[in-house]
Amino acid sequence: MDLLTSLKISSSGLSATRKRMNAISSNIANAQTTRTAEGGPYRKKEVVYGAEPARENFSEILEGEIDAQAQSVHATEVISTNKPPILKYEPHHPDANAQGYVAYPNINVMEEMANMISASRAYEANVNTMNTTKNMAMKALEIGRN
């Protein structure tokens, strides 16, 4: 695997992780949202990842026998979950139904925080990989100067 392929894979990981962090932060921000433009409470968002070959052209495919397992990642889509809302008895709330229950999003903030920490660690790992690759390239250039 050459250095540019390594950078492409890490870059795709950063992009996919950024989308995951955006979905998680949206979930946390809307944990108490009872009214949306679509109607009803906010629905939790989740990111679906997919793998794809890191090579783009024919020469890269020919050279790729050694790193045949190397694949980049991309966020294929952001989906809304179908979890039923949580009903709380609040008869004075403006969004209460006829029985006095308000539908809140089925979002566990603690679970979302754990997902945010996981996404943050994945982001840091990709940044560290890119920095290591950059340092390897700089060392190779220093060897070439001497």
Side-chain angles (χ1 to χ4, degrees):
M1 178 184 311
D2 63 12
L3 297 177
L4 290 178
T5 302
S6 175
L7 288 174
K8 284 180 190 176
I9 293 171
S10 296
S11 164
S12 70
L14 287 174
S15 177
T17 305
R18 180 183 53 82
K19 288 182 181 176
R20 181 177 175 209
M21 292 175 80
N22 285 342
I24 292 168
S25 61
S26 177
N27 290 340
I28 292 171
N30 289 295
Q32 297 294 319
T33 301
T34 58
R35 190 182 309 172
T36 61
E38 299 85 29
Y42 175 82
R43 300 177 87 188
K44 180 181 175 179
K45 306 278 188 261
E46 290 185 359
V47 176
V48 178
Y49 289 132
E52 60 186 20
R55 296 174 228 57
E56 295 176 352
N57 59 39
F58 185 71
S59 65
E60 290 178 336
I61 292 171
L62 282 177
E63 295 170 4
E65 288 299 320
I66 295 173
D67 54 8
Q69 301 298 319
Q71 296 185 336
S72 62
V73 64
H74 67 282
T76 58
E77 62 182 325
V78 178
I79 59 170
S80 297
T81 61
N82 290 326
K83 286 184 173 179
I86 298 171
L87 296 177
K88 291 184 180 176
Y89 184 71
E90 295 177 3
H92 301 295
H93 194 283
D95 292 330
N97 63 13
Q99 290 81 31
Y101 287 95
V102 179
Y104 283 96
N106 194 350
I107 296 173
N108 182 341
V109 176
M110 297 303 286
E111 180 182 322
E112 295 298 319
M113 288 303 298
N115 287 337
M116 180 66 87
I117 291 169
S118 171
S120 175
R121 297 288 184 248
Y123 194 89
E124 288 174 11
N126 281 304
V127 168
N128 285 336
T129 303
M130 291 182 82
N131 284 335
T132 301
T133 303
K134 183 181 77 176
N135 289 338
M136 289 172 60
M138 295 303 291
K139 291 291 182 186
L141 289 174
E142 287 178 15
I143 291 171
R145 280 191 215 147
N146 296 331

